[in-house]
Amino acid sequence: MTKNYLEIPEELYNKLSDYAENDQLSIRLENQQILLENPKINHTNKQNLALHYFIVPSLASGIIALLIFLSTNHPQIAFTGSRHLSVASLSIILSTLFGFFGFIWTYLRKSCDLSKSKFKIFRETLTLSVAYTSISFAVQIIFWYIIGKTFSGVTFDPFTAGFLVLVFVGIIFYFLISAALSITLPNLILLLFTTFIGGILVSMATNNQKDWWQHNFSFLGTGEATQHWQFNITLIFSALILLTITDFLFAEFSKSSLYNYKFKIIRIFYILIAFLIAFVGIFPAQSWTMPIHNNSAFGLVAVVLIMIIFLKWLVPTISKEFLALSWTALIALILSAVAFMGIHYLSLTVFEIIAFAIAFTWLVMFINSLRVIIQEGNEWQVKLLQK
């Protein structure tokens, strides 16, 4: 009888031993990739989406909605847009509440590294829960706005309306539970982009009538701006997400043989940048907070410049393409500063947007480059043998 073997390096064998269950591993094909994992993982993931994770909260939301609809004594319940409770309003409220706590419960049970401190676990869980729930909330607002324009005046009896709430809450809850189970570095980077860019665009749009661009970019976070809290909260949460990304990235890096004191310096830089971004939001550009705001904003750009200048020393294995891109970003930052402060070609608003966009984009791209280095350090050559 022919036996098939897979010859692997000893280092890889030692790493796989940490994941094996009774010296057993499961193997599966997914997206043209071969995945080796603990055989209990698939079973566990199925359990995560089972009765008490998905169906029960959905049924509970349907029952709550039905009781509320019946208590109003209205024979017909509006689908959207009513002065009374509607399918849309209850779906948004219940899915946000159930989704928020469901995300926390799932993430704590399945995605947390128990080696982390309790404070890091708390900060990470709360940040991701609020971020993902906020995104689902925003998506629902847009969705129900479109539905309201499409099905204007549609009503249902309380039982049908309650069932519809159950369905819509179930869909959102499933999305949030799935998100909690699949937190990866690429997903976190996408979350950072979505949170930051989405929040900034909303802040710009809500202040369009005030011609915020005639003042400066930081005007969006001052008391004179419309709903200035959106701009400031966006920066604070972006900083928290960046801290979470830093934790994920360097927790993985610390397991690699490539990890050394230089990467510890990079980690400190990222933590400092996260705090500076948060300070820009915590201390608006007004009254006594102006010096802290300005120093935080300039400090952010200064740290990025320092990282670019010493990039080759910090990461000798960095790709030539990213190194060239980094120097291009450095030159662009210097030219924009000269165009603003030297020849006054750029306005303060344009300069702030350009500098912040370049710095933020470079930081995210650098994270991706470090992730590639980690992946390259975790590659081994194996042989297929047959005896």
Side-chain angles (χ1 to χ4, degrees):
M1 178 179 176
T2 302
K3 291 186 178 181
N4 302 315
Y5 297 89
L6 188 65
E7 186 179 85
I8 63 176
E10 184 176 355
E11 183 183 1
L12 176 58
Y13 174 82
N14 293 332
K15 288 184 176 293
L16 291 177
S17 297
D18 296 334
Y19 296 95
E21 180 73 22
N22 298 324
D23 294 329
Q24 295 288 323
L25 287 169
S26 65
I27 187 168
R28 61 190 174 92
L29 299 176
E30 182 177 304
N31 298 327
Q32 298 182 339
Q33 293 180 331
I34 299 175
L35 303 178
L36 280 170
E37 58 190 13
N38 187 306
K40 286 189 175 181
I41 288 181
N42 286 334
H43 176 71
T44 302
N45 284 342
K46 290 178 181 177
Q47 292 299 319
N48 287 338
L49 298 175
L51 187 63
H52 61 292
Y53 275 85
F54 171 63
I55 299 178
V56 169
S58 301
L59 288 174
S61 65
I63 294 171
I64 293 172
L66 176 60
L67 293 176
I68 293 175
F69 290 148
L70 290 175
S71 67
T72 61
N73 294 320
H74 289 282
Q76 292 294 112
I77 305 298
F79 195 27
T80 62
S82 172
R83 60 180 178 177
H84 306 294
L85 287 176
S86 63
V87 172
S89 60
L90 265 189
S91 296
I92 293 173
I93 294 171
L94 292 175
S95 63
T96 301
L97 289 175
F98 277 108
F100 176 74
F101 291 107
F103 188 101
I104 290 177
W105 174 260
T106 307
Y107 186 76
L108 283 176
R109 283 176 62 90
K110 304 301 175 185
S111 301
C112 268
D113 184 353
L114 297 179
S115 64
K116 295 179 182 178
S117 66
K118 291 183 178 179
F119 174 75
K120 278 188 177 181
I121 292 175
F122 172 78
R123 186 201 72 210
E124 188 176 289
T125 304
L126 187 61
T127 298
L128 294 177
S129 300
V130 172
Y132 275 98
T133 306
S134 299
I135 290 173
S136 70
F137 179 82
V139 170
Q140 287 182 86
I141 294 295
I142 297 172
F143 170 79
W144 285 113
Y145 175 79
I146 296 173
I147 292 296
K149 295 294 183 180
T150 307
F151 298 99
S152 179
V154 174
T155 61
F156 301 98
D157 65 88
F159 291 94
T160 303
F163 175 75
L164 289 174
V165 171
L166 182 155
V167 172
F168 287 116
V169 171
I171 293 171
I172 298 300
F173 196 78
Y174 182 86
F175 161 75
L176 289 172
I177 292 296
S178 300
L181 289 170
S182 58
I183 297 295
T184 61
L185 195 55
N187 289 345
L188 288 177
I189 293 173
L190 179 61
L191 176 65
L192 177 61
F193 258 111
T194 304
T195 302
F196 181 78
I197 296 177
I200 296 298
L201 289 177
V202 169
S203 299
M204 290 180 177
T206 54
N207 285 278
N208 185 48
Q209 293 181 345
K210 290 198 172 186
D211 295 332
W212 64 269
W213 47 270
Q214 293 185 5
H215 301 272
N216 52 57
F217 189 56
S218 299
F219 172 84
L220 296 172
T222 64
E224 298 178 32
T226 303
Q227 297 180 333
H228 59 277
W229 61 271
Q230 292 177 345
F231 180 81
N232 296 326
I233 289 295
T234 294
L235 292 177
I236 294 169
F237 261 97
S238 295
L240 289 172
I241 295 172
L242 183 59
L243 278 177
T244 302
I245 290 174
T246 302
D247 289 341
F248 268 74
L249 177 66
F250 289 95
E252 188 68 24
F253 229 137
S254 63
K255 301 174 185 177
S256 171
S257 58
L258 299 174
Y259 192 66
N260 55 36
Y261 74 96
K262 293 181 181 179
F263 289 105
K264 292 180 181 179
I265 294 175
I266 296 174
R267 183 173 193 168
I268 293 172
F269 276 140
Y270 266 101
I271 293 173
L272 176 60
I273 287 169
F275 276 103
L276 290 172
I277 293 174
F279 285 166
V280 172
I282 294 172
F283 303 100
Q286 56 189 23
S287 65
W288 67 271
T289 62
M290 179 70 81
I292 303 176
H293 177 91
N294 289 340
N295 289 330
S296 298
F298 284 116
L300 169 63
V301 177
V303 173
V304 171
L305 290 175
I306 292 171
M307 291 176 71
I308 294 175
I309 292 171
F310 292 98
L311 180 60
K312 186 62 179 177
W313 176 78
L314 289 169
V315 191
T317 57
I318 199 73
S319 68
K320 293 180 180 179
E321 292 78 10
F322 184 75
L323 191 61
L325 180 66
S326 299
W327 282 103
T328 302
L330 176 66
I331 294 171
L333 284 171
I334 294 174
L335 289 177
S336 61
V338 172
F340 166 62
M341 294 182 287
I343 61 176
H344 306 292
Y345 176 74
L346 296 178
S347 66
L348 176 58
T349 303
V350 175
F351 169 68
E352 287 181 326
I353 292 176
I354 290 175
F356 212 80
I358 293 174
F360 181 77
T361 304
W362 184 85
L363 286 170
V364 174
M365 294 182 70
F366 187 34
I367 290 174
N368 267 323
S369 295
L370 293 175
R371 187 169 64 89
V372 170
I373 292 174
I374 295 174
Q375 291 174 342
E376 291 175 348
N378 289 331
E379 289 183 3
W380 294 271
Q381 298 297 319
V382 301
K383 289 182 180 180
L384 293 173
L385 302 176
Q386 193 176 69
K387 294 182 180 180

